[in-house]
Amino acid sequence: MTLPQDRSTSLRPPQQFRSLFLSDFHLGARGCSPGPILEFLRRVEAETIYLVGDILDLWHGGQVQWDAKHSEIIEVLEAQAASGTRIVYLPGNHDAPMRAPGMNFLNFELSETEIHIGADGQRYLVLHGDQCDARILRWHVMTRFGSRMDALFRGIDSWLRRRLGRSETERSLILLAISGVNHLLARGGGYEKRLIALAESAKVDGIICGHSHKPALRATSGLTYANCGDWVDSLTALAEDHTGALQLLQWSAQRAPVSVQSATPAVAKVLV
């Protein structure tokens, strides 16, 4: 499906999925990308949408970054829930207060973990993923420290862009360094191994998470490991079609073709 370039193409119907898995919007934090999130939400529809944690950033450092687009994202999701879409919110470490007993948020279901049953009968454990961090990274003080450092360096990056007249879509050395640190923390602590072990103990066919800002979809130890990525760095989502097949979608800020990675090694080029 082509991206709308003008009014005529904007009338095309949204792309239909059985389920969508979205994580790490970080609404309210400096790194959030509300424009791409809004465009993506307007171009897709699903019977069930899983918000896989860190949607609201309640642990951010510095000034809250919130504008009309942030509010509109919530309004779009609320409208989808009101129209019959099942929306399940699985809080992460940056929105951990949402895990408190008795919490309610709009018309969304709140749960720390969920079992998703695919159209093909495959069962997946769905959770944010911070539950499998190395012990030191699960301390709230580390989350706060990391959030403040992230906000500081993104603030410096934003200032440099304004000074040098660089595009907001250009990948700077600072952003590449932040992404590299996130990936190193995820790999170095055996994060994925602990998630797979958790899936094995739950006796499911796979696990779907977010948290690491590292999109992935592959078979590991006989199970499916899927990470839907984030909307700060990778701009990705995980989608399930009506046959039960999973695929990674990547949004392009330049409105160029996006890559879709399926559960098989094949990689195709499509537009959403």
Side-chain angles (χ1 to χ4, degrees):
M1 180 178 180
T2 55
L3 289 172
Q5 300 291 333
D6 53 31
R7 282 190 175 184
S8 62
T9 54
S10 68
L11 297 177
R12 296 187 180 190
Q15 191 167 353
Q16 302 288 326
F17 295 101
R18 183 174 184 266
S19 306
L20 281 171
F21 303 82
L22 304 160
S23 76
D24 294 88
F25 287 0
H26 289 280
L27 296 175
R30 186 178 293 277
C32 178
S33 304
I37 295 171
L38 266 178
E39 290 188 40
F40 182 81
L41 289 176
R42 288 169 175 158
R43 287 159 177 75
V44 295
E45 287 184 354
E47 297 170 12
T48 303
I49 296 176
Y50 292 92
L51 301 175
V52 193
D54 287 1
I55 300 303
L56 299 173
D57 197 318
L58 307 178
W59 289 105
H60 61 81
Q63 183 179 1
V64 176
Q65 307 291 316
W66 194 279
D67 58 24
K69 286 186 177 179
H70 290 72
S71 297
E72 194 170 352
I73 289 167
I74 300 299
E75 291 167 2
V76 168
L77 289 169
E78 187 176 17
Q80 290 177 330
S83 66
T85 298
R86 181 188 178 216
I87 298 185
V88 183
Y89 192 141
L90 301 107
N93 53 319
H94 283 253
D95 44 15
M98 304 283 285
R99 290 171 172 168
M103 280 292 295
N104 294 297
F105 187 65
L106 304 177
N107 293 315
F108 305 166
E109 299 176 28
L110 282 176
S111 177
E112 187 167 352
T113 63
E114 189 79 9
I115 298 294
H116 172 72
I117 302 176
D120 55 1
Q122 295 286 293
R123 300 170 72 249
Y124 302 93
L125 177 64
V126 188
L127 74 171
H128 181 60
D130 62 298
Q131 299 91 335
C132 291
D133 275 343
R135 187 177 300 277
I136 189 173
L137 296 179
R138 294 201 296 270
W139 296 350
H140 282 188
V141 65
M142 293 300 294
T143 300
R144 284 185 177 275
F145 177 76
S147 296
R148 292 185 184 279
M149 290 300 98
D150 184 271
L152 172 63
F153 286 113
R154 290 187 190 277
I156 294 172
D157 179 71
S158 181
W159 179 80
L160 286 174
R161 288 175 188 274
R162 291 195 300 270
R163 291 275 294 181
L164 301 176
R166 291 179 176 172
S167 166
E168 289 294 324
T169 61
E170 183 181 350
R171 295 289 283 170
S172 68
L173 289 176
I174 290 178
L175 295 186
L176 288 173
I178 291 173
S179 179
V181 169
N182 286 337
H183 291 181
L184 181 62
L185 289 173
R187 285 198 300 267
Y191 173 69
E192 293 183 13
K193 291 181 180 178
R194 286 189 288 272
L195 284 165
I196 288 297
L198 187 62
E200 289 174 340
S201 66
K203 301 187 185 304
V204 293
D205 301 297
I207 193 159
I208 297 171
C209 63
H211 184 50
S212 69
H213 293 208
K214 185 185 174 186
L217 178 58
R218 58 177 172 270
T220 303
S221 302
L223 300 176
T224 297
Y225 172 78
N227 189 309
C228 42
D230 69 289
W231 289 83
V232 173
D233 299 306
S234 60
L235 306 185
T236 56
L238 183 74
E240 178 202 7
D241 66 21
H242 287 84
T243 71
L246 297 176
Q247 54 188 332
L248 276 175
L249 307 178
Q250 184 173 46
W251 181 261
S252 170
Q254 290 77 30
R255 296 189 173 187
V258 299
S259 63
V260 172
Q261 181 184 334
S262 67
T264 64
V267 176
K269 294 286 187 179
V270 300
L271 294 168
V272 295

